[in-house]
Amino acid sequence: MFGLVHQPTFLEYYRRLDNPTNDALVLAICVDALPQIRHMLKYNSSEIRALIDIFYDRCRDLLFDMYDDPTKKLQIIMTTTLLQQYVSDVVLNFAEARLIISLALLRHYFRLEMLNRTHRLLEEYKIDFTMSTSMEMMEVLDDEPEKTKEYMLLPIIYFGYLDLPMFAI
């Protein structure tokens, strides 16, 4: 799971759930884990893929419903990252991975902008390191903690450096 989930914290969270099959993060972890542990399961490849597809579809629906809940920011980032990882690394569907990331970007997540650029590179076979207008226009909400405001400036500064002539490709 690439270090995105702190096991003790997740297990505590998992135990508090009434129905884990209605939780996007749980389903995203299942989607991410099943291809990696397939050799330990007593199902054939078609059955495992069908199970992953069920978890993926349900997780994606739950994820899109979570965007309006400000208390689920971390869950949204973790779920989105796990899903796009599966779609791009296992299924090799870069357009779907880019769609998932783009929807999260609409909700102002800078971390996923870098993943979106990677998928653009893979999908369109070109490199575009110029600063995107979406990043230039991003707003920092007044109620965000000061550390978050500072963190949100980092990609703008980073991509600003890439616009300098010394970094031209």
Side-chain angles (χ1 to χ4, degrees):
M1 285 183 281
F2 303 100
L4 292 173
V5 179
H6 181 254
Q7 184 179 357
T9 305
F10 175 74
L11 289 175
E12 180 182 323
Y13 168 80
Y14 181 83
R15 288 182 190 113
R16 289 191 315 248
L17 294 172
D18 292 331
N19 186 355
T21 61
N22 282 332
D23 186 82
L25 182 56
V26 171
L27 294 171
I29 289 172
C30 291
V31 167
D32 185 57
L34 279 171
Q36 298 175 44
I37 64 167
R38 67 188 177 280
H39 61 280
M40 300 167 61
L41 303 174
K42 296 179 181 177
Y43 298 107
N44 65 40
S45 297
S46 297
E47 293 169 328
I48 292 172
R49 178 61 191 266
L51 188 59
I52 292 171
D53 287 344
I54 291 168
F55 289 155
Y56 174 80
D57 291 341
R58 177 74 178 130
C59 180
R60 187 171 180 238
D61 291 343
L62 290 170
L63 174 63
F64 296 157
D65 291 340
M66 287 176 16
Y67 284 135
D68 294 325
D69 187 347
T71 65
K72 298 198 178 209
K73 289 179 181 179
L74 183 59
Q75 284 176 291
I76 292 169
I77 292 172
M78 293 170 68
T79 302
T80 300
T81 304
L82 289 166
L83 287 185
Q84 79 77 31
Q85 209 165 262
Y86 165 74
V87 173
S88 65
D89 296 347
V90 178
V91 181
L92 301 176
N93 185 344
F94 301 114
E96 174 74 7
R98 188 171 176 197
L99 172 68
I100 292 168
I101 294 167
S102 295
L103 291 171
L105 283 171
L106 292 174
R107 307 304 272 177
H108 305 268
Y109 293 110
F110 285 116
R111 166 72 175 94
L112 298 176
E113 172 67 13
M114 292 177 199
L115 294 172
N116 191 37
R117 288 171 185 263
T118 301
H119 289 293
R120 187 178 309 131
L121 169 68
L122 294 170
E123 189 176 297
E124 299 173 5
Y125 302 105
K126 67 178 186 178
I127 298 175
D128 180 11
F129 284 116
T130 60
M131 194 164 170
S132 71
T133 55
S134 64
M135 290 185 67
E136 292 171 356
M137 304 293 286
M138 296 298 264
E139 292 180 32
V140 178
L141 301 176
D142 293 334
D143 63 343
E144 294 288 347
E146 197 60 38
K147 285 288 182 195
T148 302
K149 292 176 183 177
E150 292 172 8
Y151 177 75
M152 292 175 75
L153 289 174
L154 288 176
I156 294 171
I157 294 167
Y158 173 77
F159 287 113
Y161 282 121
L162 292 177
D163 285 338
L164 296 173
M166 68 185 85
F167 290 102
I169 296 177

